Amino acid sequence: MRNINHKTCKVVYMKLNPIKYKYKNFDSEEDHDRFHFGFGARETEKIFNDNNLDTSDYGLICKDILLKPNKAGNIVEYALRYGEFIALNTHMTQKAHHRIDSLESENQSLKNEILMLQGQLSLITQRLQKMEEKLC
């Protein structure tokens, strides 16, 4: 087991392109009229390849060479194992939450600093007014 490479993971994750699609009806008995949501397997493979990741090293993409063409006439059949995306999604969600926590903490610190500076400014303004009153 190895930890997920944060840099490569983020690049691949951010390039994934969610799509809406319907299965093709090749026979009159088929009735694939519902929409599905997912990723394009070939596009996902390209994202991996473009980032020097061999898809055969990962369980996300299934690429089978068929003995004879399928109903679509293809001899290569692609599929995605969406369960494999759970850990990737969890990793990216955790990373986002860590970033949110960090930004919230930084934001609170900056708010506290603004309040302190506003208090100092108020004191300076009061002292300046007193000095002006003495001069007049």
Side-chain angles (χ1 to χ4, degrees), residues 80-97:
L80 293 174
R81 289 188 180 125
Y82 287 101
E84 295 283 336
F85 284 90
I86 293 170
L88 179 61
N89 287 335
T90 300
H91 171 75
M92 293 305 293
T93 301
Q94 288 171 338
K95 194 172 176 185
H97 280 281

Side-chain angles (χ1 to χ4, degrees), residues 3-42:
N3 288 334
I4 295 174
N5 179 317
H6 298 290
K7 193 172 189 177
T8 305
C9 178
K10 182 177 179 180
V11 170
V12 168
Y13 185 82
M14 295 306 291
K15 289 185 179 181
L16 289 173
N17 181 33
I19 60 172
K20 176 174 87 170
Y21 62 93
K22 287 183 181 181
Y23 289 112
K24 294 179 181 176
N25 293 316
F26 292 105
D27 299 323
S28 58
E29 301 90 40
E30 293 178 343
D31 188 20
H32 301 296
D33 61 343
R34 295 182 301 170
F35 284 104
H36 300 272
F37 296 93
F39 304 104
R42 288 177 185 86

Side-chain angles (χ1 to χ4, degrees), residues 6-128:
H6 298 290
K7 193 172 189 177
T8 305
C9 178
K10 182 177 179 180
V11 170
V12 168
Y13 185 82
M14 295 306 291
K15 289 185 179 181
L16 289 173
N17 181 33
I19 60 172
K20 176 174 87 170
Y21 62 93
K22 287 183 181 181
Y23 289 112
K24 294 179 181 176
N25 293 316
F26 292 105
D27 299 323
S28 58
E29 301 90 40
E30 293 178 343
D31 188 20
H32 301 296
D33 61 343
R34 295 182 301 170
F35 284 104
H36 300 272
F37 296 93
F39 304 104
R42 288 177 185 86
E43 183 181 358
T44 302
E45 179 184 48
K46 182 176 179 351
I47 292 167
F48 272 70
N49 291 337
D50 289 350
N51 289 280
N52 299 316
L53 298 171
D54 184 351
T55 55
S56 65
D57 292 338
Y58 297 88
L60 293 158
I61 301 171
C62 301
K63 184 177 177 180
D64 296 322
I65 309 298
L66 305 174
L67 297 175
K68 62 180 185 172
N70 61 14
K71 290 178 181 181
N74 299 319
I75 59 168
V76 179
E77 197 166 78
Y78 285 84
L80 293 174
R81 289 188 180 125
Y82 287 101
E84 295 283 336
F85 284 90
I86 293 170
L88 179 61
N89 287 335
T90 300
H91 171 75
M92 293 305 293
T93 301
Q94 288 171 338
K95 194 172 176 185
H97 280 281
H98 290 307
R99 181 76 176 130
I100 290 166
D101 291 344
S102 173
L103 290 171
E104 285 178 339
S105 176
E106 181 181 354
N107 189 38
Q108 188 59 52
S109 293
L110 291 170
K111 284 180 176 181
N112 292 342
E113 188 173 345
I114 288 169
L115 287 173
M116 180 193 66
L117 291 171
Q118 285 174 333
Q120 289 176 349
L121 182 59
S122 178
L123 287 173
I124 291 170
T125 303
Q126 287 173 6
R127 287 180 184 167
L128 184 59

